[in-house]
Amino acid sequence: MYEPAGVLADYMRFILLDADPQSLLRKYRIDYCLLAQGERIARALPLIPGWKRIYSDEKAVIFAREH
């Protein structure tokens, strides 16, 4: 269901930083991201204006869009 629409491909580009994360976050109107610690995007997201870390532990990190 998601692949014909390109959602899975966009997700992989987002996680691997193969596309502009801001454009994908806007495209899907994402306000929160739950990510595994150590993912490239988990290290990059705090550098994107308007995003802040609201939770983290040894396994996961959660970011929220600031409004």
Side-chain angles (χ1 to χ4, degrees), residues 1-7:
M1 171 167 51
Y2 295 109
E3 192 49 35
V7 175

Side-chain angles (χ1 to χ4, degrees), residues 37-61:
Q37 285 284 12
E39 293 283 349
R40 291 182 206 171
I41 190 63
R43 292 189 302 272
L45 207 53
L47 304 174
I48 298 174
W51 284 89
K52 73 175 194 173
R53 181 184 325 227
I54 60 170
Y55 173 83
S56 68
D57 62 26
E58 66 278 352
K59 296 190 183 249
V61 60

Side-chain angles (χ1 to χ4, degrees), residues 1-2 5 7 11-14 22 24-25 32-33 35 37 39 44 49 52 54 57-58 61 66:
M1 171 167 51
Y2 295 109
V7 175
Y11 172 75
M12 293 307 297
R13 285 194 293 276
F14 176 74
Q22 290 186 61
L24 293 172
L25 291 164
Y32 296 92
C33 291
L35 304 166
Q37 285 284 12
E39 293 283 349
K52 73 175 194 173
I54 60 170
D57 62 26
E58 66 278 352
V61 60
E66 296 177 323

